[in-house]
Amino acid sequence: MKTIISIILAVTAASAATAAVVVEKPTGKICPTSFAIITDSMTYEATRSSMLHYRDALQNDGLATYIIRDNWTTPSQVREALADLYKSDSCLEGIVLVGDVPVAMVRNAQHMTTAFKMDEENYPFIDSSVPSDRFYDCLDLEFRYLHQDEENPHLHYYELKEDCSQRLEPTFYSARIRYPRMRGGDKYEGIAAFLDKAAAAKTDMAVNRVDRVVSFNGHGYNGDCLIAWMDEEKAYKEHFPEAFTSATGFKHWNFRMLEPMKHRIFSELERPGIDLFMFHEHGAPTTQYINGFGETDKFDDRVRHFRQDIYSRVRRAISRGNSRDEVIDAFAKEFNLTSMFFADFDNSDLTARDSSEVAAKDIYADEFHDRVTMPRMVMFDACYNGSFHEDDYIAGEYIFNPGATVVTQGNTRNVLQDRWTIEMIGLLSHGVRAGQYNRLVATLEGHMIGDPTMHFAPLQPNTLSSDMTLHRDDEAYWESLLESPYADVRSLALRMLSHLVPESSFSPRLLEVFRSSPFCTTRMEALKLLGVYSNDEFREAVRMGINDPYERIARMSADLAGEIGDLSLLPAVVAAYIDGRERQRVNYTLSNSLALFPREDVMRCIDNYYVMNPRYNSEEEKKAVIDGLARTFEFAEDYNKRIVDKSLDDRKRISAIRFVRNNPYHFNIDSYLAVISDDGNSDAVRVNMAEALGWFRYSSRKGEIIDYCRRMVDDTSLPPVLSAELVQTAGRLQ
């Protein structure tokens, strides 16, 4: 039977290759906004009944739904079809890419990610590009097609053009429904089953409010700071008020609660009725890192954990084809280990026990092949869990099992820990579709997997989700929501108004919101929006925020103070660094930010602090503070010397230049500009220096960089590659 089906699908694909794009228009009742299912011809034919079932459910839920199909060969074809659709229907609010829709691997756009900064010149394309559906949903971006991946033909490489928009503002939301091949079984049957599940969920969730939520923090996340973890409950109470009306409505878990924690997590994932499960953790495409090796004061346990870690790493290296003896010798030299340390390496009983113990620490994709997950939506903050371009990926396993999960949120590349991961998440409590929420927090690597139209019943009846499309330019409408009793509705109103109201009048209003709003998440949104302006109101908010009672605002302000580099912020940074040691993650961020100010100014400010604030053992404490910062400053000085040292080869200089991306040394900008101007430097050094300056987006000297770039591009003697980079840097900073 399967052979006959395969022949039919092959014939269908052959005929589709010569056909134009097929657009099935919406049927049935008129809806306020629209949606599009984008699929390939073979998937359509194999899942047609289920796809129409899903389409009908969407239309009954208020979305006029198109089905667009073709035998796509490049992402450009799909993008062109979407652009044509949007021209004819500006009420299009979202899309879902179902089946074998090609994947765009984006390059020259790492500034649109939260943390991904792999060297595109020296690493393979497949590793140094970002799999991203922003290629499809951000129509104002422009790309150059490079080539198709030879070994993975569904992957196509593109470069972001230097002279187009350099910010992510999706035109509509998007999601992927791509079956993980390693899950086994027939992919078309798996996709069809999911579409039927998503369609049925529309009826099941009509009266389902967000009142059962679980948040889990894994090992090593946010530096394991307990205050950072505890303080998030302030935000969760604003996001999910109904979940806090019962003892078990909101569960706030931490990896420290149990060793191992994974089995308790599995039990919770299988519990019917969970609305949202949020994983704040580290990860890989097929792994969720949960417990780590744990904390212990026992010497024997520490030795055992160390042995397990080294043995595991050695086995991984050997599995990649490396010589067993050479790998062991390399690890022995790196960690000063004797041959006795490896005496049990081939002990099969010990290996089995170690494997069992290590396996219990984490969650793996193949463990969902015979499990169900019940939360309607699952968030993964981790690196790589949303790698839909891979043969297997965690986020896909959660939607393709027979449980109730219909949408997940994950990342295709590594992701920053200290980003604001729960921004706007409370909009789900107000009936906003998951895709609309995700559109507001877009990154190049962040994606929805599954049904992006999923939504819960709102706390109070509203049309907020469709209004985000229909009233996006209606200033009066968003003004009317600024006094909403709900934090996330106010935050959304601020976001929409930031695109409609001039900076001169809106910036002071944002500062007042930051000062006076009763909601910590709305204040956080005001701070973020002020960052777009990088003006006096922004600097004042950051100065105040460094000592904010909400840890997340304090952490963001600590980071922004260094990103700005204005000396007026230094006293507040120093005071918080000395006084706020219990906020581990904030203190860590403050120490990094202090290194971005001139060393002599930091030392003077520390002296002034102790003059104005006599403390017990103040001299000893001050010495410890200065000694603690010394290495950081020496590290920075060494990197900045390497940047200008022409006696070094380009590789070493460029490595130092790339360090500046995460460490904007504002006081060194004149030196950086001189490197670009000096044609005695190689094109590679000059281009990398220009690119690094594009990361100074909050710098108090940003205007100088923009002016310099604009002047330089008028110089016709510049290498074209350098001119293009200067254009892009200016565009990124504007």
Side-chain angles (χ1 to χ4, degrees):
M1 186 64 180
K2 284 192 175 181
T3 303
I4 295 174
I5 293 174
S6 298
I7 293 172
I8 293 172
L9 292 176
V11 172
T12 302
S15 61
T18 60
V21 175
V22 177
V23 179
E24 292 187 26
K25 294 187 176 181
T27 62
K29 64 180 182 181
I30 297 175
C31 302
T33 56
S34 59
F35 184 77
I37 301 168
I38 314 299
T39 190
D40 61 285
S41 299
M42 291 180 70
T43 298
Y44 178 80
E45 292 299 329
T47 67
R48 185 174 184 276
S49 176
S50 297
M51 194 169 290
L52 295 180
H53 182 203
Y54 177 57
R55 179 203 62 187
D56 293 344
L58 293 177
Q59 296 192 142
N60 289 333
D61 198 43
L63 288 173
T65 304
Y66 299 85
I67 299 178
I68 301 177
R69 66 183 189 275
D70 196 1
N71 188 34
W72 314 105
T73 57
T74 69
S76 299
Q77 294 173 322
V78 182
R79 195 172 199 258
E80 184 178 348
L82 286 170
D84 289 343
L85 177 62
Y86 190 71
K87 286 177 185 176
S88 64
D89 186 352
S90 62
C91 292
L92 181 73
E93 69 167 57
I95 65 170
V96 64
L97 306 162
V98 183
D100 295 320
V101 180
V103 177
M105 304 287 285
V106 177
R107 302 176 65 76
N108 193 38
Q110 292 184 7
H111 55 284
M112 294 178 174
T113 70
T114 61
F116 186 71
K117 295 181 175 64
M118 186 177 289
D119 188 343
E120 293 182 356
E121 297 296 322
N122 294 309
Y123 286 89
F125 269 49
I126 195 167
D127 297 322
S128 60
S129 305
V130 182
S132 182
D133 285 338
R134 299 296 83 77
F135 179 88
Y136 293 125
D137 59 35
C138 289
L139 295 182
D140 60 337
L141 301 182
E142 297 177 24
F143 300 90
R144 281 186 294 270
Y145 183 68
L146 300 177
H147 61 83
Q148 185 176 20
D149 191 281
E150 293 182 2
E151 296 182 7
N152 303 278
H154 66 294
L155 306 181
H156 297 256
Y157 298 101
Y158 288 83
E159 273 187 340
L160 181 72
K161 290 185 177 180
E162 293 81 6
D163 57 354
C164 74
S165 171
Q166 299 295 312
R167 293 185 181 179
L168 291 177
E169 293 184 355
T171 313
F172 38 76
Y173 59 80
S174 69
R176 278 272 177 176
I177 301 174
R178 187 169 188 270
Y179 192 78
R181 186 179 66 83
M182 296 303 291
R183 184 173 175 82
D186 184 272
K187 68 178 179 181
Y188 297 119
E189 291 177 3
I191 291 172
F194 174 77
L195 293 172
D196 286 332
K197 176 170 71 169
K202 298 301 179 193
T203 301
D204 297 343
M205 297 182 66
V207 294
N208 179 25
R209 293 184 178 182
V210 184
D211 58 3
R212 300 181 76 179
V213 178
V214 182
S215 175
F216 171 75
N217 275 48
H219 170 75
Y221 192 80
N222 284 341
D224 292 339
C225 177
L226 282 172
I227 290 181
W229 169 67
M230 292 163 52
D231 225 34
E232 285 302 273
E233 198 155 307
K234 296 175 182 176
Y236 289 136
K237 287 179 179 177
E238 295 177 3
H239 292 317
F240 312 114
E242 293 241 326
F244 286 87
T245 59
S246 68
T248 59
F250 185 87
K251 295 188 178 183
H252 199 185
W253 286 358
N254 188 283
F255 74 96
R256 294 178 176 91
M257 291 177 172
L258 196 64
E259 174 73 35
M261 192 75 176
K262 71 182 287 183
H263 302 296
R264 187 176 179 187
I265 290 173
F266 279 145
S267 294
E268 194 70 10
L269 286 171
E270 294 174 359
R271 184 163 67 99
I274 301 296
D275 299 312
L276 174 66
F277 203 119
M278 296 177 288
F279 284 102
H280 310 293
E281 26 117 269
H282 294 291
T286 58
T287 310
Q288 294 177 253
Y289 297 119
I290 303 300
N291 272 107
F293 282 102
E295 299 175 4
T296 178
D297 293 327
K298 296 180 179 178
F299 176 77
D300 288 347
D301 286 342
R302 290 189 176 189
V303 171
R304 179 168 54 85
H305 292 164
F306 179 67
R307 177 184 53 74
Q308 287 175 334
D309 182 45
I310 296 297
Y311 278 22
S312 176
R313 291 164 66 182
V314 169
R315 290 190 183 98
R316 283 200 301 272
I318 294 172
S319 71
R320 299 188 190 106
N322 297 297
S323 164
R324 177 186 185 281
D325 292 341
E326 289 179 1
V327 170
I328 289 177
D329 185 58
F331 273 87
K333 288 180 179 178
E334 182 177 355
F335 294 98
N336 294 318
L337 304 172
T338 67
S339 59
M340 285 299 296
F341 181 84
F342 293 98
D344 289 322
F345 185 76
D346 295 316
N347 184 323
S348 58
D349 291 338
L350 183 64
T351 299
R353 288 198 301 273
D354 283 354
S355 297
S356 177
E357 186 173 333
V358 170
K361 296 180 184 300
D362 303 317
I363 292 175
Y364 303 94
D366 60 10
E367 294 182 279
F368 293 101
H369 293 179
D370 57 1
R371 290 183 179 275
V372 299
T373 59
M374 300 306 292
R376 290 299 190 177
M377 177 173 169
V378 182
M379 170 200 285
F380 303 100
D381 286 347
C383 306
Y384 299 105
N385 279 177
S387 297
F388 60 82
H389 62 296
E390 300 273 9
D391 286 339
D392 202 2
Y393 61 108
I394 283 286
E397 292 289 351
Y398 273 72
I399 69 166
F400 282 110
N401 68 74
T405 305
V406 292
V407 68
T408 60
Q409 182 188 48
N411 301 289
T412 59
R413 289 298 187 216
N414 59 301
V415 65
L416 189 69
Q417 282 192 72
D418 288 306
R419 67 194 179 103
W420 184 16
T421 60
I422 56 174
E423 179 183 9
M424 299 281 192
I425 189 71
L427 288 175
L428 298 175
S429 293
H430 303 284
V432 170
R433 299 187 190 277
Q436 288 282 41
Y437 144 70
N438 191 66
R439 183 173 62 84
L440 296 169
V441 295
T443 63
L444 197 64
E445 72 275 16
H447 293 81
M448 302 232 86
I449 308 298
D451 177 17
T453 71
M454 188 282 303
H455 66 92
F456 298 94
L459 292 171
Q460 295 179 349
N462 67 69
T463 55
L464 197 59
S465 194
S466 59
D467 289 343
M468 292 169 65
T469 299
L470 298 174
H471 293 287
R472 57 192 160 210
D473 298 322
D474 188 344
E475 183 178 337
Y477 174 76
W478 299 111
E479 286 280 358
S480 72
L481 296 180
L482 284 177
E483 296 304 316
S484 168
Y486 299 109
D488 289 275
V489 177
R490 290 193 186 192
S491 296
L492 175 62
L494 289 175
R495 173 75 71 85
M496 302 302 284
L497 286 168
S498 70
H499 297 292
L500 303 173
V501 182
E503 174 186 342
S504 59
S505 59
F506 199 55
S507 181
R509 292 177 64 188
L510 285 172
L511 181 59
E512 182 55 32
V513 169
F514 182 75
R515 283 190 174 122
S516 62
S517 176
F519 300 117
C520 60
T521 56
T522 303
R523 295 174 54 246
M524 183 77 172
E525 187 67 28
L527 176 60
K528 179 180 177 178
L529 292 174
L530 279 167
V532 176
Y533 305 135
S534 293
N535 57 15
D536 289 341
E537 282 91 1
F538 175 50
R539 285 186 283 276
E540 174 60 13
V542 169
R543 186 192 64 76
M544 296 167 57
I546 290 169
N547 198 38
D548 199 89
Y550 178 34
E551 191 273 352
R552 192 63 195 80
I553 288 179
R555 194 176 354 140
M556 183 177 183
S557 299
D559 180 61
L560 288 170
E563 295 273 349
I564 295 169
D566 193 296
L567 289 177
S568 66
L569 299 173
L570 192 51
V573 175
V574 167
Y577 180 67
I578 295 172
D579 273 343
R581 294 299 177 101
E582 66 279 1
R583 285 179 160 184
Q584 291 173 284
R585 199 64 185 177
V586 174
N587 203 255
Y588 167 79
T589 305
L590 288 167
S591 68
N592 290 338
S593 288
L594 282 170
L596 302 177
F597 291 90
R599 186 172 189 170
E600 60 274 15
D601 290 307
V602 174
M603 295 302 115
R604 184 164 52 249
C605 199
I606 291 173
D607 285 336
N608 290 342
Y609 175 84
Y610 281 99
V611 169
M612 301 300 295
N613 299 276
R615 296 160 67 91
Y616 177 72
N617 285 338
S618 59
E619 286 302 316
E620 292 180 18
E621 183 183 85
K622 182 171 78 169
K623 183 177 183 304
V625 168
I626 292 173
D627 289 347
L629 292 171
R631 187 179 177 187
T632 305
F633 280 110
E634 289 166 6
F635 200 65
E637 290 164 5
D638 177 62
Y639 267 81
N640 280 301
K641 286 178 182 176
R642 277 195 264 166
I643 289 172
V644 298
D645 188 351
K646 291 185 176 181
S647 68
L648 297 177
D649 61 38
D650 280 2
R651 182 180 59 82
K652 291 180 180 178
R653 293 183 70 189
I654 290 172
S655 175
I657 289 170
R658 290 176 65 82
F659 183 75
V660 172
R661 290 166 138 208
N662 282 340
N663 300 275
Y665 298 111
H666 316 273
F667 56 90
N668 240 35
I669 284 178
D670 291 338
S671 174
Y672 300 153
L673 298 180
V675 168
I676 299 171
S677 297
D678 185 357
D679 60 10
N681 291 313
S682 69
D683 289 355
V685 166
R686 299 170 79 188
V687 168
N688 274 274
M689 192 75 257
E691 193 272 345
L693 289 176
W695 299 85
F696 285 58
R697 61 190 182 281
Y698 298 119
S699 176
S700 58
R701 300 183 64 185
K702 179 173 71 172
E704 297 174 49
I705 300 173
I706 294 173
D707 289 344
Y708 171 85
C709 291
R710 287 173 174 168
R711 289 197 310 272
M712 288 293 285
V713 294
D714 291 333
D715 184 350
T716 56
S717 68
L718 284 183
V721 65
L722 178 57
S723 291
E725 195 65 60
L726 290 167
V727 167
Q728 187 167 22
T729 290
R732 288 168 58 186
L733 295 178
Q734 287 172 345

